Amino acid sequence: DTEVTQTPKHLVMGMTNKKSLKCEQHMGHRAMYWYKQKAKKPPELMFVYSYEKLSINESVPSRFSPECPNSSLLNLHLHALQPEDSALYLCASSPSPGNMGKLFFGSGTQLSVL
Amino acid sequence: KNEVEQSPQNLTAQEGEFITINCSYSVGISALHWLQQHPGGGIVSLFMLSSGKKKHGRLIATINIQEKHSSLHITASHPRDSAVYICAVMNYGGSQGNLIFGKGTKLSVKP
């Protein structure tokens, strides 16, 4: 299984809602990443989890809350988002933080905040 | 000036044509990735290069570390190759996962 699975594929939420994005991989990768991508722009790194611990937070607002319950699963909890947070959210994984040679991306969650 | 520059920004080709996409970078790197992104979708990692040349099917990627330049070639292009191709570099000493992305090359292959 060489996939990173993201759910849901599409999400529409109001500014007062709480929702979660899910990312799963079963390749034994120990580094997992959240990226945000606005239309026609390159992805921007949000968070890096290394061996289930948060190792990098790229100054992301607290309305985005990541969680890594186990080595296969990565969540992104969303609360009180703003319309400008509408974007494609991509999850990725690699064997380890220092080894991005095998880098796998999920198909993303297209998020719309109304 | 962006640290990773791709050219061309947009490329239209006829089916069967040989295609070249270029990537130049200005920072020291430990690796360079070529990525493919279809409309509305996720990203597929095509190659990771730190030197030389790699080939996978109809795709060939080369890198010249001294010239800080990489190329992605597609032979016998097909409409299903239509996508955005992104060059991304791992800055030597940069933070983990923080690839520096080019702005992408949008390729359209006409039948």
Side-chain angles (χ1 to χ4, degrees), chain A residues 1-107:
Chain A
D1 184 0
T2 55
E3 277 192 350
V4 174
T5 304
Q6 286 190 246
T7 55
K9 292 196 184 307
H10 301 275
L11 179 63
V12 179
M13 61 186 291
M15 289 190 284
T16 58
N17 292 158
K18 284 186 182 182
K19 296 286 184 183
S20 296
L21 310 184
K22 181 178 169 181
C23 173
E24 200 162 1
Q25 56 86 15
H26 297 285
M27 296 176 279
H29 288 178
R30 305 309 297 274
M32 296 184 77
Y33 313 87
W34 279 116
Y35 288 88
K36 173 183 176 180
Q37 186 179 25
K38 301 285 275 184
K40 299 187 179 181
K41 298 284 187 184
E44 298 173 359
L45 183 67
M46 300 174 72
F47 302 105
V48 179
Y49 268 83
S50 171
Y51 297 91
E52 295 91 71
K53 287 186 171 30
L54 182 64
S55 62
I56 293 177
N57 176 342
E58 290 287 336
S59 303
V60 179
S62 60
R63 57 186 184 268
F64 295 91
S65 175
E67 179 198 19
C68 190
N70 59 59
S71 60
S72 299
L73 191 55
L74 185 66
N75 297 320
L76 186 63
H77 302 297
L78 314 173
H79 174 54
L81 294 194
Q82 304 296 311
E84 60 264 28
D85 296 321
S86 298
L88 180 69
Y89 288 83
L90 291 159
C91 175
S93 72
S94 67
S96 68
N99 178 4
M100 295 185 77
K102 293 182 182 179
L103 182 63
F104 290 85
F105 283 85
S107 56

Side-chain angles (χ1 to χ4, degrees), chain A residues 33 35 37 42-43 45 48 50 55-56 58 88 90 97 100-101 103 105-108, chain B residues 33 35 37 40-45 47-48 86 90 95-99 101-103:
Chain A
Y33 313 87
Y35 288 88
Q37 186 179 25
L45 183 67
V48 179
S50 171
S55 62
I56 293 177
E58 290 287 336
L88 180 69
L90 291 159
M100 295 185 77
L103 182 63
F105 283 85
S107 56
Chain B
H33 290 261
L35 309 169
Q37 187 170 30
I43 292 174
V44 174
S45 178
F47 296 104
M48 193 277 291
I86 303 169
M90 174 60 75
S95 56
Q96 303 153 0
N98 208 356
L99 298 169
F101 292 87
K103 292 186 176 180

Side-chain angles (χ1 to χ4, degrees), chain B residues 41-104:
Chain B
I43 292 174
V44 174
S45 178
L46 300 174
F47 296 104
M48 193 277 291
L49 296 161
S50 52
S51 65
K53 176 179 175 178
K54 286 190 177 180
K55 184 175 189 291
H56 182 64
R58 295 180 294 107
L59 302 178
I60 303 166
T62 63
I63 189 167
N64 185 319
I65 298 293
Q66 285 72 31
E67 294 186 5
K68 296 189 174 178
H69 181 268
S70 177
S71 294
L72 176 68
H73 305 286
I74 305 175
T75 61
S77 60
H78 191 276
R80 65 175 173 265
D81 297 326
S82 298
V84 176
Y85 291 84
I86 303 169
C87 171
V89 302
M90 174 60 75
N91 189 6
Y92 190 79
S95 56
Q96 303 153 0
N98 208 356
L99 298 169
I100 305 173
F101 292 87
K103 292 186 176 180

Side-chain angles (χ1 to χ4, degrees), chain B residues 12-19 58 74-82 107-111:
Chain B
T12 300
Q14 287 298 126
E15 184 173 356
E17 285 185 359
F18 180 84
I19 287 162
R58 295 180 294 107
I74 305 175
T75 61
S77 60
H78 191 276
R80 65 175 173 265
D81 297 326
S82 298
L107 172 65
S108 178
V109 182
K110 306 292 186 190

